[in-house]
Amino acid sequence: MSRVSLALAILLASSVAANVYLLVRTPRRGTPPTSPSTAVTGRPAAAAPASPTAAAAPATARARPPIAASTDPATCPQQLAALSDRLGEVEAKLADRLSNEERFDLASSSPDAEARVADYFAAAFRDAPASVTYDVECHGTVCRLEVVQPERGVDFDWHERLRGEGGLALFRGTSMHSPEPGQDPVSKEPLLTFRSYYRLAGEQDVSGIAVLQDLYGRFLAADATAACKAAHPQPGYLSLRLQLDPAGPDINVLVGGTLATAPGGQCLRAALDAAIDATTIPAHAMGAVLYQTLELP
């Protein structure tokens, strides 16, 4: 045999031996290999970390929700329109909760509103002494009245004059601040400055005070009221607080006084409730509170 043939034979034999060794060492398909440590200790071998591909497989296999078709009513433009409507409702509710002073500060000057209330305030201060001055400024639907007068020695009740019937048709709400003390810059005379805010009623608004006053008048003139006074002649008085709540709408009553729990007071309360039940609250009635004291001889 030549040297070349001998070398080829040795190489062939080595290759066959290597293949036989691999065949013996490789486990059959489906049979997990057994490590030496497992055979000795009996502990299960640690699980091999999953490959990124294997870990991602379950996630990619999940079914995804279908994308809404363009004909679905919940489209973006419709959602934006709904949110815009909702925002308008919230802003309207917040606006209703603003104080008269806040409404005045946020709004711009309104000469038309000033012209509308000019005669009302002029009539209230027509006979005022020279030491009492006033100024009216309106922003939006709120007018601010500023009155400056000496701290003492003034016999002019402009507050009472402004409670007249004329204001019931003009205003839907009033708020008054405590006076601010000061001094005249020239004479150094002590002065007081009063600021009050009046919210104008809208064209459709109905005075809540007028509704309550009409109700109270009918209660006083009712036959049931006269019958209670005749059947229960006990002297005393009833303190009545009537509140018109436009959100209901309804009229709530609080009763006090010496006759609140007496039979005569209970009878009068029933007559007042009957008058309330017979009252029709207008659609645009404004909120109002009326205090009355009913004296019985």
Side-chain angles (χ1 to χ4, degrees):
M1 181 180 295
S2 63
R3 292 182 178 180
V4 175
S5 299
L6 180 60
L8 289 175
I10 295 173
L11 184 60
L12 180 58
S14 300
S15 177
V16 171
N19 289 333
V20 171
Y21 176 80
L22 290 175
L23 181 62
V24 172
R25 294 293 298 171
T26 301
R28 290 175 295 176
R29 183 175 298 176
T31 304
T34 303
S35 64
S37 60
T38 302
V40 173
T41 62
R43 298 176 182 174
S51 65
T53 303
T60 56
R62 294 177 181 173
R64 295 182 178 180
I67 299 176
S70 59
T71 57
D72 188 357
T75 60
C76 288
Q78 290 173 333
Q79 292 183 45
L80 289 175
L83 289 175
S84 178
D85 293 342
R86 178 58 178 163
L87 179 60
E89 294 175 1
V90 173
E91 288 178 342
K93 290 180 180 179
L94 290 177
D96 279 342
R97 285 163 174 75
L98 292 177
S99 66
N100 289 335
E101 183 177 2
E102 290 170 331
R103 293 173 188 273
F104 180 88
D105 293 337
L106 293 174
S108 57
S109 178
S110 177
D112 291 341
E114 292 175 6
R116 182 180 170 187
V117 303
D119 292 343
Y120 172 74
F121 288 108
F125 288 89
R126 181 170 290 119
D127 302 327
S131 59
V132 178
T133 62
Y134 79 95
D135 178 72
V136 177
E137 182 179 355
C138 298
H139 289 186
T141 60
V142 177
C143 296
R144 182 183 66 188
L145 170 67
E146 186 172 277
V147 180
V148 180
Q149 66 180 52
E151 186 170 359
R152 295 183 179 181
V154 177
D155 186 17
F156 182 75
D157 192 356
W158 54 269
H159 297 89
E160 185 62 29
R161 293 187 175 212
L162 290 175
R163 294 191 184 101
E165 296 292 329
L168 297 180
L170 276 177
F171 307 112
R172 65 177 303 171
T174 305
S175 55
M176 298 185 179
H177 290 200
S178 299
E180 298 177 3
Q183 287 182 322
D184 184 278
V186 178
S187 66
K188 306 303 180 183
E189 178 186 10
L191 300 175
L192 290 178
T193 300
F194 296 83
R195 290 186 181 88
S196 306
Y197 294 85
Y198 296 79
R199 185 180 175 188
L200 289 166
E203 295 181 358
Q204 295 181 330
D205 289 336
V206 177
S207 170
I209 287 291
V211 173
L212 294 179
Q213 288 179 335
D214 177 73
L215 160 65
Y216 189 72
R218 289 186 287 106
F219 159 68
L220 292 179
D223 293 339
T225 302
C228 289
K229 293 179 180 180
H232 306 281
Q234 179 183 354
Y237 68 93
L238 280 181
S239 298
L240 301 173
R241 179 183 186 271
L242 289 77
Q243 180 177 9
L244 191 156
D245 180 9
D250 51 31
I251 297 174
N252 302 312
V253 180
L254 292 178
V255 180
T258 59
L259 298 177
T261 58
Q266 296 293 319
C267 181
L268 290 170
R269 171 61 190 271
L272 179 58
D273 288 341
I276 292 175
D277 293 338
T279 299
T280 300
I281 301 176
H284 297 280
M286 298 178 290
V289 176
L290 178 66
Y291 298 91
Q292 293 288 348
T293 299
L294 177 60
E295 296 279 353
L296 295 183

